[in-house]
Amino acid sequence: MLTNLFLLSLLLQSTLAAEIDRRSSEVQPKVVAWRRDIHQNPELGNREVRTSKLVADHLQRLGLEVKTGVAHTGVVGILRGSRPGPVVALRADMDALPVTEQVDLPFASKAKAQYNGQEVGVMHACGHDTHTAILMGVAEVLAGLKDRLPGTVKFIFQPAEEGVPAGEDGGAKMMVAEGVLENPKVDAIFGLHVMSFANAGRIAYRPGGTMASSDMLRITVKGRQTHGALPWNGVDPIVAASQIVMGLQTVSSRQLDATKSPAVITIGMIRGGNRYNIIPDEVVMEGTLRTFDPEMQDEMHRRIKITAESIAQASGAEAKVEITSYAPVTFNNPTLTDRMLPTLKRVAGDSNVTLANPTTTAEDFAFYQRNVPGFYFFLGSVPAGMDAATAPANHSPLFNVDESVLPLGVRVLANIAVDYLSRQ
Ligand SMILES: [Zn+2]
Ligand SMILES: [Zn+2]
């Protein structure tokens, strides 16, 4: 009896998968049109007004429960299947970058905007136009299967993944704070990113730490101003700051467990003083911190603070350490990753699914994964025949996505949602 039930559920699942494929190809012309429209009309983080209206109107037409204005311009759509079951969330980011497009496309962006007080070109140079169009397509496919869905799908269209202008809040962190993972409570979340490191058709994934945590470090070293010829009459923050820069390199090389995860500490800015013979009052340094292990991240923060403060203290100066987190580690829940791997392989073909190397870039999807199990993976985006090793990378003005990733993206996300809900 049990075996029969099992076989029956497998049969239902495979007919459902065939139905997803059929509906995915039906929706493709629309997905391509949405993607080109969004590409031609890119908007910077927290400014995705036109894009979020396009998304919200579409979700409303599909009959979803739609919430707008989440974390400024975010949109959340809820699709309740007719059968009871868990809640799965799918996330797409909608923001573009301050980059002037150089790709020769009929729908290339000519948009301009103000950014940090300057006029800049605006371009979907990270491919978030494709993510948004893919998820709109998935919403249409799954809305058509509502009667057969065993659970609920939450569609999260997120603003400002690339960060926000100074002084603003936003992105995944703000969406989580505004309760996007509650009501109904999300059991698992999935997301994808188009990437220039592989050709279109390929999928790369990694269990555990996949993209690095990214923190901004600011250290203010306070001394006491004096004549450059009489250093003993003051406290020199330039010498203390120099010692701190060197000391911080021993945090990653001598203090943190190198077998656990790599850790990068970079000081990218030092500012202090205004004349050759004056020792200034203060030096400010800024840098970035990256690692792949959440515990390591905490440990790195603790050690940086002790190292900077103690070095400053030794010369009578004072160091104030401030660490602002852009994103935690993009950590793929290993059990969930294992569970969804057969779906990736079935949809993309066994040999097209490969293990990704960790990357020291960061992604704010990590904020969702801190609260619920999540799985984030990569779709190769480089056109066939072009060498991925030399193709323009994400964020380049020449970044170009092969549109064959659109049908693959729709099929893979729709299948992941249905397989997750069906195999509870
Ligand atoms: Zn990006
Ligand atoms: Zn991106």
Side-chain angles (χ1 to χ4, degrees):
M1 181 63 185
L2 261 181
T3 328
N4 284 346
L5 269 179
F6 179 67
L7 286 175
L8 184 66
S9 81
L10 273 185
L11 184 68
L12 280 175
Q13 208 177 317
S14 72
T15 52
L16 206 50
E19 185 72 10
I20 290 171
D21 281 355
R22 192 180 65 74
R23 288 175 183 271
S24 296
S25 37
E26 260 175 31
V27 82
Q28 267 331 292
K30 289 195 207 173
V31 175
V32 171
W34 289 323
R35 184 263 161 161
R36 294 182 180 183
D37 179 47
I38 297 168
H39 190 86
Q40 201 162 11
N41 297 282
E43 295 168 303
L44 292 174
N46 282 353
R47 313 284 185 272
E48 305 90 336
V49 177
R50 183 185 184 278
T51 312
S52 68
K53 182 170 187 329
L54 184 79
V55 169
D57 288 351
H58 174 62
L59 300 183
Q60 253 140 16
R61 270 196 301 274
L62 294 175
L64 269 60
E65 293 166 35
V66 181
K67 205 169 160 193
T68 58
V70 186
H72 304 301
T73 51
V75 182
V76 179
I78 298 172
L79 174 66
R80 290 183 204 271
S82 303
R83 295 161 52 205
V87 179
V88 66
L90 305 176
R91 175 276 209 166
D93 38 13
M94 304 189 288
D95 56 323
L97 284 162
V99 172
T100 303
E101 176 147 18
Q102 291 176 17
V103 188
D104 183 19
L105 290 170
F107 51 92
S109 162
K110 296 188 174 56
K112 299 227 182 298
Q114 286 292 313
Y115 183 72
N116 287 341
Q118 276 182 304
E119 192 183 63
V120 291
V122 185
M123 175 191 174
H124 270 293
C126 203
H128 299 181
D129 51 337
T130 62
H131 306 165
T132 304
I134 285 171
L135 196 55
M136 288 170 75
V138 175
E140 182 152 338
V141 169
L142 296 183
L145 298 170
K146 187 177 157 74
D147 291 346
R148 295 157 70 182
L149 277 187
T152 297
V153 187
K154 202 180 256 193
F155 297 90
I156 299 177
F157 291 86
Q158 181 207 303
E161 189 283 322
E162 302 281 2
V164 292
E168 293 182 27
D169 265 347
K173 189 180 185 184
M174 190 171 178
M175 290 205 94
V176 172
E178 291 193 5
V180 76
L181 298 174
E182 306 297 325
N183 293 324
K185 196 168 169 39
V186 169
D187 294 296
I189 185 163
F190 299 95
L192 56 74
H193 205 301
V194 292
M195 283 288 184
S196 67
F197 61 53
N199 283 101
R202 300 214 165 242
I203 294 183
Y205 75 97
R206 186 172 186 85
T210 300
M211 297 178 84
S213 60
S214 170
D215 302 306
M216 206 264 256
L217 171 67
R218 171 180 283 139
I219 302 176
T220 310
V221 184
K222 280 207 182 308
R224 197 169 65 247
Q225 186 160 326
T226 181
H227 198 293
L230 308 166
W232 51 88
N233 279 347
V235 175
D236 187 346
I238 290 194
V239 172
S242 309
Q243 290 175 319
I244 289 171
V245 172
M246 301 312 288
L248 292 184
Q249 291 313 307
T250 67
V251 173
S252 46
S253 69
R254 305 289 82 173
Q255 299 187 40
L256 297 171
D257 182 349
T259 61
K260 211 169 163 191
S261 162
V264 175
I265 302 177
T266 294
I267 296 294
M269 194 278 291
I270 305 186
R271 199 174 55 225
N274 58 8
R275 196 183 141 87
Y276 76 100
N277 64 352
I278 298 175
I279 289 171
D281 246 347
E282 187 179 279
V283 171
V284 179
M285 302 186 276
E286 287 181 357
T288 187
L289 315 175
R290 309 280 163 133
T291 187
F292 296 96
D293 182 281
E295 283 171 21
M296 185 90 132
Q297 188 186 10
D298 291 344
E299 183 67 0
M300 182 156 65
H301 292 184
R302 197 176 70 79
R303 300 236 181 208
I304 285 173
K305 206 166 176 303
I306 295 173
T307 303
E309 287 174 355
S310 312
I311 290 175
Q313 203 184 13
S315 59
E318 201 186 305
K320 188 171 97 183
V321 177
E322 296 161 280
I323 297 173
T324 323
S325 189
Y326 160 71
V329 180
T330 304
F331 189 86
N332 285 330
N333 179 291
T335 316
L336 186 66
T337 307
D338 263 7
R339 203 175 126 190
M340 301 324 296
L341 198 53
T343 306
L344 295 188
K345 290 186 168 172
R346 191 184 74 228
V347 174
D350 233 358
S351 61
N352 286 322
V353 180
T354 51
L355 196 63
N357 287 327
T359 155
T360 44
T361 53
E363 160 65 56
D364 78 352
F365 187 79
F367 283 107
Y368 305 111
Q369 291 173 310
R370 263 214 315 209
N371 293 276
V372 295
F375 178 38
Y376 191 77
F377 55 92
F378 308 111
L379 296 188
S381 65
V382 176
M386 202 187 219
D387 183 3
T390 54
N394 296 59
H395 292 207
S396 153
L398 291 166
F399 178 68
N400 193 10
V401 176
D402 188 285
E403 282 185 341
S404 68
V405 304
L406 300 172
L408 178 62
V410 172
R411 284 176 61 228
V412 77
L413 277 187
N415 275 287
I416 278 180
V418 167
D419 286 359
Y420 179 83
L421 295 179
S422 308
R423 275 187 236 148
Q424 285 300 305

